[in-house]
Structures are given as C-alpha cells and as structure tokens.
C-alpha cells in the first residue's frame, strides 16, 4: 500500500496506524495459540477494519486527486499497480500452503479455484477448510479494486457531493439492512437457551463477517475521507486543525465498538460502520499538525508498516509450525514463547518481503514509469502559434 509521502519519504502517522493494525491482528491470532491475551483475543479483528479504512483512503486518494485536478485516472496502470502489489506475495504464500502441508494452521485448504478467483470469502467453510482463511480480506480488497473504476467513472459523469453522499448512504444503509436480515436467519436461531454457540459463530463468520457486500464500510469511509481532501480542501484543513478532537471522537467510536457484542443484533448491524467511522477519524487525526503523529516517527513503525502485508500473509503459518515444535513452552514460559513466536513471524515476513514483495514493487515502479514515459511521448503536441499576417 502506497502512503502519502512527507519529507522523510513516508507519512509517520499512517505508518503508525498500519503497524498498529498488523500487530493487533497478530495478537488476535496469538490468543488462539494458548497466550493469555484477553483483550486482543476478543477484539483484535478490528485490525483488519483499520486496514480497510487505510486502503480505501490511500487507494481512493490515487483516484480522486486525478479527478480533482481535471484529469482521468489511468485505469490499466491502476490495475497493473494493484496486481504487482498483491499477487506475487499472495501467490508465493499460496504455493507454500499447497506444497508444504506441515505449515498449514489447519489441515484442510479451500479449493484452489477459490484462491485464484478471490472468492474464498464468498464460499467459506468454517468447519472444515480454514487453512489460509485470512485470505478473505484480500478477496474484499480485490473486489474493491474491480468495483472502484466503474463506480468512479459513474460518479464523475455528474460529480457533486450530494450524489456521492447518496451513494455512500445507500451502501451503508443497505449493508446494515442486509446484515440485520442475515443475522435473524443465520445467527439468532442458534442463540439463547437450547442454542448452539458454535453454529451461531459459524453463521456470523460465513454470512456476515466474510462476504464483501457486508464489509464495504471501511473502504467506503476511506474513499470518502480522500474525497474530502481532494474536493473540499478547506474542509480537510478544518478537520486537521481540530486533530485532537477528531482523535478523541474516533477513539470513542472504537471504544463503543469494543463494548458491543459482535454476535448480537446490534453488533451485526452497527459495528462495522461504527468502526469505519472511528478509524476514519484516526486516519485524519494522525495527519494533523496539532498532534505529534504527523511529525514524530516512533521506532520500528516504519519497518512494521513495510512488512505488514508479508506479516499478514505468513504469521498464522509460522505460529502453527511453532506449535508443533515448542509444545508446552507457551504454558511453561509464556514470555519466552511470545518473543520467539513473533521474532519467527518477523523473520519469515522479512524473507518474503525482500525475496518476493520488494522485487515486485520495484518491477511495478519500472513498468509504470515506462508507461508514463510512453504516454507522454505519444501525447499530441500543441500546434505552433503563428502570428497573423
């Protein structure tokens, strides 16, 4: 994911959020390996929602700023950029899952065609096929990449804040109504006395948590934030001037999300849009000059942000592999095990980053530069200005 740049080359505040998102996800998954991480064990899924808001904001900015400048996005270049950003590392890890079953966090893998078509989140099998199941969020991202060009071109025909807000409201309200309808049929029957909590969780994950049409809130919030920055710069400056207040309001939204039971009806309906609103506030706040996040780079945040994608792809494999080889260490020496698990995850992610992800990004940059040069060369030159006789 490409960040806005500052004098140091990257935005410290956005790096901080990206690092926080991946560490939250890792702690969330560590809780299922015997570590006592109660808070993260219950609410670490919010790291993925933060990723969605960051992705919507950063990728949306690449698109809307072109329209704000009176230009049109280069959609083939956009797709090439996204493909080389995601596919090399994603397919490399998929190959590892296929060829080294001992590294899987669970034995059974969903069908290969689901990974190749990015439909793992549309046909989940929570009971049996859960290896590489965290690829569901990449499926949502890929669907976003495919939906963004036609949506942007449609909105650009008659641009205006009312039209954009109407579409956004339709998506948010439609998602809430859909999740409510789904909850009543897939979750509610298994709650309460005589119910089966396992079936309730299965229904929630497969029918509410994973499907793309229920997870657009974060991406949408990020795109709207980028649109405000591009089309309403005075509003954006106003938001940044009130960075501390925006930070408090965003944190309050996240606190409210944490207080809601995700399996309950209220959680199913409002948690995702509320989390999107809260994280959008954090994304704006960390760029405010009135807060230190826009200027001060905390140690390790840049490195964690750079490795975030590789960490996301590989950490569950690493944890499962260590379970087999460090049997009993988590109970006997939890702190030592915690350090070993995360150092191993960092080492494997660094290997994937430098061997696959980074070379692919360099190839992307070269191809995009060549395409830009060809486009500039092929552009028609203005006719010479001739003086009147």
């Amino acid at each position: 994911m490409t960040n806005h740049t500052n004098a140091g080359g990257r935005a410290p505040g956005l790096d901080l959020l990206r690092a926080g998102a991946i560490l939250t996800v890792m702690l969330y998954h560590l809780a299922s390996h015997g570590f006592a991480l109660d808070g993260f064990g219950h609410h670490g899924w919010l790291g993925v929602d933060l990723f969605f808001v960051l992705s919507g904001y950063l990728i949306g900015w690449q698109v809307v700023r072109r329209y704000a400048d009176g230009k049109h996005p280069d959609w083939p270049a956009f797709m090439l950029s996204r493909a080389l950003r995601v596919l090399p590392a994603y397919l490399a890890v998929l190959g590892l899952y296929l060829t080294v079953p001992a590294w899987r966090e669970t034995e059974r893998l969903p069908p290969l065609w689901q990974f190749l078509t990015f439909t793992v989140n549309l046909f989940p099998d929570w009971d049996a096929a859960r290896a590489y199941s965290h690829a569901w969020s990449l499926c949502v991202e890929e669907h976003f990449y495919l939906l963004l060009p036609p949506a942007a071109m449609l909105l650009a025909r008659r641009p205006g804040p009312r039209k954009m807000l109407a579409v956004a409201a339709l998506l948010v309200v439609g998602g809430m109504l859909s999740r409510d309808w789904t909850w009543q049929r897939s979750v509610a029957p298994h709650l309460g006395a005589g119910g089966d909590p396992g079936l309730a969780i299965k229904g929630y994950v497969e029918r509410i948590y994973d499907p793309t049409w229920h997870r657009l809130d974060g991406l949408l919030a990020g795109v709207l934030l980028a649109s405000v920055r591009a089309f309403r710069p005075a509003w954006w400056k106003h938001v940044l001037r009130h960075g501390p207040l925006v930070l408090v309001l965003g944190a309050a939204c996240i606190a409210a999300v944490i207080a809601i039971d995700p399996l309950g009806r209220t959680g199913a309906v409002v948690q995702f849009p509320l989390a999107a609103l809260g994280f959008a506030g954090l994304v704006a706040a960390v760029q405010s000059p009135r807060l230190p996040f826009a200027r001060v780079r905390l140690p390790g945040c840049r490195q964690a942000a750079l490795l975030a994608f590789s960490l996301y792809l590989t950490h569950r494999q690493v944890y499962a592999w260590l379970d087999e080889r460090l049997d009993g260490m988590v109970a006997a020496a939890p702190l030592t095990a915690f350090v070993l698990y995360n150092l191993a995850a960092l080492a494997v992610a660094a290997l994937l980053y430098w061997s696959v992800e980074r070379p692919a990004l360099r190839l992307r940059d070269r191809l995009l530069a060549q395409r830009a040069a060809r486009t500039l060369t092929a552009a028609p030159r203005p006719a010479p200005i001739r003086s009147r006789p």
Side-chain angles (χ1 to χ4, degrees):
M1 190 182 296
T2 305
N3 286 359
H4 304 309
T5 57
N6 60 5
R10 293 177 67 93
L14 298 181
D15 274 352
L16 173 63
L17 290 182
R18 188 172 174 82
I22 186 57
L23 292 177
T24 299
V25 170
M26 291 172 66
L27 291 173
Y28 177 55
H29 289 142
L30 262 181
S32 63
H33 291 265
F35 290 91
L37 302 168
D38 291 339
F40 291 102
H42 292 298
H43 308 294
W45 57 270
L46 283 167
V48 175
D49 288 65
L50 176 52
F51 274 129
F52 284 155
V53 176
L54 283 168
S55 183
Y57 174 68
L58 295 169
I59 295 171
W61 172 250
Q62 297 174 25
V63 173
V64 298
R65 68 176 175 179
R66 297 281 297 178
Y67 284 116
D69 292 338
K71 303 174 183 178
H72 292 282
D74 184 346
W75 293 116
F78 173 83
M79 290 300 181
L80 174 65
S81 174
R82 293 296 91 205
L84 288 175
R85 177 67 184 91
V86 173
L87 292 181
Y90 168 73
L91 293 176
V93 174
L94 177 60
L96 190 61
Y97 268 96
L98 292 171
T99 58
V100 189
W103 270 55
R104 298 177 187 175
E105 61 271 19
T106 61
E107 181 178 351
R108 188 175 165 190
L109 195 69
L112 178 60
W113 65 267
Q114 291 185 15
F115 290 103
L116 298 180
T117 58
F118 289 97
T119 55
V120 172
N121 70 321
L122 305 184
F123 307 101
D125 187 352
W126 183 250
D127 287 333
R130 294 170 64 178
Y132 208 6
S133 61
H134 51 292
W136 75 269
S137 64
L138 300 181
C139 298
V140 176
E141 290 264 358
E142 290 297 317
H143 301 160
F144 169 60
Y145 302 153
L146 295 176
L147 290 172
L148 184 60
M153 288 186 286
L154 180 64
L155 291 172
R157 288 183 179 179
R158 291 185 178 181
R162 291 184 179 179
K163 184 177 182 181
M164 179 171 289
L165 289 176
V167 172
L170 179 64
L171 290 174
V172 172
V173 174
M176 293 172 70
L177 292 175
S178 177
R179 288 192 298 272
D180 182 56
W181 185 88
T182 305
W183 180 88
Q184 295 184 58
R185 284 152 183 79
S186 300
V187 180
H190 308 295
L191 296 176
D196 186 338
L199 289 178
I201 294 173
K202 173 182 169 66
Y204 176 82
V205 171
E206 292 187 353
R207 305 303 175 198
I208 294 177
Y209 189 80
D210 281 3
T212 300
W213 50 86
H214 287 159
R215 301 312 309 269
L216 296 175
D217 302 271
L219 293 161
L220 176 63
V223 172
L224 288 176
L225 200 63
S227 299
V228 170
R229 184 186 178 198
F231 293 106
R232 294 291 187 270
W235 294 5
W236 180 251
K237 291 179 181 178
H238 183 75
V239 170
L240 296 186
R241 280 199 301 269
H242 294 83
L245 176 61
V246 174
L247 179 66
V248 171
L249 293 176
C253 288
I254 302 305
V257 171
I258 292 173
I260 299 172
D261 176 15
L263 283 182
R265 187 175 188 178
T266 300
V269 174
V270 306
Q271 269 193 324
F272 299 145
L274 189 58
L277 179 62
F279 285 132
L282 297 190
V283 169
V286 298
Q287 299 177 79
S288 169
R290 297 194 60 193
L291 291 169
F293 308 111
R295 305 182 303 273
V296 179
R297 186 178 300 281
L298 297 179
C301 282
R302 181 177 182 274
Q303 291 74 16
L306 286 172
L307 293 179
F309 185 50
S310 290
L311 275 168
Y312 185 78
L313 291 174
T314 59
H315 72 280
R316 293 190 68 192
Q317 281 182 302
V318 174
Y319 293 165
W321 185 80
L322 288 175
D323 281 345
E324 297 293 328
R325 285 146 186 83
L326 301 178
D327 185 31
M329 177 176 281
V330 175
L335 180 59
T336 301
F338 180 85
V339 172
L340 287 176
Y341 272 63
N342 287 295
L343 284 179
L346 286 168
V348 172
L351 178 62
L352 178 65
Y353 176 81
W354 289 109
S355 63
V356 178
E357 187 180 347
R358 184 61 180 166
L361 293 175
R362 289 179 174 173
L363 174 62
R364 178 193 68 175
D365 293 343
R366 288 198 302 270
L367 293 177
L368 291 178
Q370 292 171 6
R371 179 177 176 82
R374 288 196 301 268
T375 302
L376 184 63
T377 303
R381 296 182 179 179
I385 299 176
R386 301 171 184 261
S387 60
R388 291 185 177 182

